[in-house]
Amino acid sequence: MNTDIKTATEHIARLINAYHLRGKNAPVEGLIEMRIKLSTLVFYVAGVEADAYEDFVTAEYNRKSKFIESKEYYVKSGESVAKAETMAEAGIITERKAETQADAIHKRLQLIRLAAKEVLDCLNQHISNIKSEKRLEMTGQGSQHFPAT
């Protein structure tokens, strides 16, 4: 995996871990700063994910086109269709490997982005709740709990 994206995913992991450890007690300003950093990293990962998907589609196309070309060559050389397909399949191992690797990278980036987005959504809700509580406290409707009578 590209060094830049590895660094970005490690940074996402550190931010999420920091939120996990300090989230409940962190000041809202710290949470907002965390949200800004996480949202920009999620955006960056989405761009890299799109590039990875393009690489996957290209690898898939290369595999399929080489298979068809090889199959046609073997059929024209007098082989049966079944044997031509088997021989063509044997000739695309490198392309299949490249396709599988590109798909794995794309899926990994997708999972990281979706998981980070879930944490970002949670962080947004957390910030919103803190702001609402502060607003209620300022108007005298704070979160004080009185015993039921």
Side-chain angles (χ1 to χ4, degrees), residues 3-4 9 17 25 38 40-41 63 65 72-73 79 85-87 94 114 128-130 134 145:
T3 303
D4 290 340
T9 56
N17 189 48
N25 301 320
L38 187 56
T40 56
L41 288 167
R63 175 190 56 82
S65 64
E72 288 175 358
Y73 170 79
E79 301 292 346
E85 286 178 350
T86 302
M87 293 170 72
T94 302
L114 291 173
S128 179
N129 289 346
I130 291 172
K134 283 186 178 184
H145 296 278

Side-chain angles (χ1 to χ4, degrees), residues 43-115:
F43 178 79
Y44 175 74
V45 169
V48 177
E49 179 190 347
D51 292 342
Y53 181 71
E54 187 175 327
D55 292 345
F56 164 68
V57 170
T58 300
E60 180 184 39
Y61 173 82
N62 290 341
R63 175 190 56 82
K64 288 179 178 181
S65 64
K66 185 172 180 183
F67 175 80
I68 291 169
E69 289 172 4
S70 296
K71 178 183 160 188
E72 288 175 358
Y73 170 79
Y74 291 123
V75 168
K76 286 179 182 175
S77 297
E79 301 292 346
S80 69
V81 173
K83 187 170 183 178
E85 286 178 350
T86 302
M87 293 170 72
E89 191 65 42
I92 61 167
I93 293 171
T94 302
E95 288 76 11
R96 187 170 299 284
K97 182 178 179 181
E99 178 186 5
T100 302
Q101 289 174 338
D103 187 37
I105 291 168
H106 169 249
K107 295 283 193 224
R108 179 182 172 152
L109 290 169
Q110 185 179 47
L111 290 171
I112 290 168
R113 180 187 53 80
L114 291 173

Side-chain angles (χ1 to χ4, degrees), residues 23-44:
K24 288 184 179 181
N25 301 320
V28 72
E29 295 80 14
L31 294 174
I32 291 170
E33 180 66 27
M34 194 178 290
R35 176 177 64 183
I36 291 167
K37 289 178 182 177
L38 187 56
S39 64
T40 56
L41 288 167
V42 167
F43 178 79
Y44 175 74

Side-chain angles (χ1 to χ4, degrees), residues 132-146:
S132 292
E133 286 177 10
K134 283 186 178 184
R135 198 174 316 110
L136 289 173
E137 287 175 5
M138 296 299 284
T139 61
Q141 302 173 17
S143 58
Q144 300 94 1
H145 296 278
F146 295 99

